[in-house]
Amino acid sequence: MTKHIFITGGVVSSLGKGITAASLAMLLKHRGYRVAMQKMDPYINVDPGTMSPYQHGEVYVTDDGAETDLDLGHYERFAGVSCSRASNYTTGRIYSNVIGRERKGGYLGGTVQVIPHITDEIKRAVSSLDGPDTDIIITEIGGTAGDIESLPFLEAIRQFKHEAGAGNAIFIHLTLVPYIKAAGEMKTKPSQQSVGILRNIGIVPDMLVCRTEKPMHDEHFSKLSLFCNVAKELVIEERDVKNSIYEVPLELARQEVDTKVLQQLQLPPKELKIDGWKDMVERVIAHEKSAVSIAVVGKYISLRDAYKSIYEALDHAGIAHDAKVNIMMVEAEELEKSGNYDLLKNADGILVPGGFGDRGIPGKLKAIKYARENNVPFLGICLGMQCAVIEFARNVLGYTDANSTEFDEESSHPVIDLMLSQKAVTQKGGTMRLGAYPCVLQKGTRAAEAYNEVNISERHRHRYEFNNNFREALENEGLKIVGTSPDGKLVEIVENVRHPWFIACQFHPEFKSRPLEPHPLFDNFIGAALGEKK
């Protein structure tokens, strides 16, 4: 039988449930267990695909084309699990399923209610990853204990554990033990109250993980154990790490969290093999290393989570080169308004990421022009690739009104146009070109050299594409098409062959980067930036 771990949060949001869940999954996987992960989000949107990055951070895309919560990025990066549509359910998706079934007469005339129909649908979602190839499923419940919108999920997992029986499901509650500076004391009362909220609905945590800035003392462990009804050895301190979030699994392993979890699930603690992860963390925290500055010119810069996977992928490439990557977060609109390039002059490399809408586009074009004219290594992603094509068409080919039809439908040089398959689409949610698609690279190109192969697969999220009517004109001036869909119709990667390192791709390579396996394009990009710096 597949075992289940449910992770809830209390006191405040943004405690790091996703990183904690991913770290535990990483440890269990490195003990030889087959682990799957999922997140239940209590918001009513069917998925985050139509939400502003300012509201929700980046939208993480899976191979099967699901637009999901950014925590799934942590799951894949830490644990190496492969997430899918079954890895992220929202209140909106749950209710849509139930209402759809009701409209088809699936409830035989019965009154549809939160209990049992919504909770049953949540339990079906929890079980959707069950199977003979999965030993343990870790399910993170979004939100904070006490939130009204989370109640159906909490009730559902209460029922699930009761039905699963002893040793088949456990609850881990992540909470905050704040330090009151004025009093010079750590306070356990918020955690006690958070656990009290769960106990009121019938959930008693099997393990308590306490986020804290300061070291906890024996009195804190004893008090939390007594008043939260959790064994003292199962009260875990999760102190803020100093250098990198990739230290978290090692901290949990030091406190034997994974073995304690396996004991509760009645599973044997196999040998833990994480030497590679330890070596990687040691490289991260090494003091003497090269440094490289990368300017990320985006339109959602004020919220760091909007480009979470981009920043992580840059760090992964830095680790591979024993280099510290200093990220210069440049707001595209600020660059647009400035009369010079001072915001970019210290950059060893420039990256223009994805996005939607025309806000900030002139600033992105300005950054690309600077990179092209000054031989600064450049990586464009999705909208960044489209902007690279627009900038080249305007400033090299002389097509002064060159644009994307997303921004100007009347342009006489629409070098970027709406995909043919998108022209009849009217709904917004889940209708873009989404998920993994194959790409064929030209031999002898920088892209093929980076990947060290010509047949690749990458994840997409876009409606607009390179307009093939301008392919010959652009290639004649040096912007070469070096990667396409297998039928040659969809342009995936372009390179400026008259530049030391200038690559732009329509897909999102950041989603497939891992700390132990940096993405080839990011790896090559950082290498080029380090070479340019030297």
Side-chain angles (χ1 to χ4, degrees), residues 417-419 422 425 427-428 431-432 462-465:
D417 198 8
L418 186 66
M419 300 180 71
Q422 292 287 314
V425 173
Q427 288 191 322
K428 297 294 184 184
T431 58
M432 286 184 278
H462 64 107
R463 295 186 192 278
Y464 292 80
E465 64 173 326

Side-chain angles (χ1 to χ4, degrees), residues 80-119:
V81 300
S82 181
C83 291
S84 67
R85 197 171 300 277
S87 300
N88 195 197
Y89 287 85
T90 67
T91 291
R93 185 175 170 191
I94 294 294
Y95 272 76
S96 292
N97 291 346
V98 171
I99 292 170
R101 192 176 295 115
E102 184 273 334
R103 291 289 82 189
K104 294 177 181 178
Y107 295 105
L108 301 177
T111 301
V112 181
Q113 299 173 293
V114 174
I115 299 174
H117 302 103
I118 296 298
T119 50

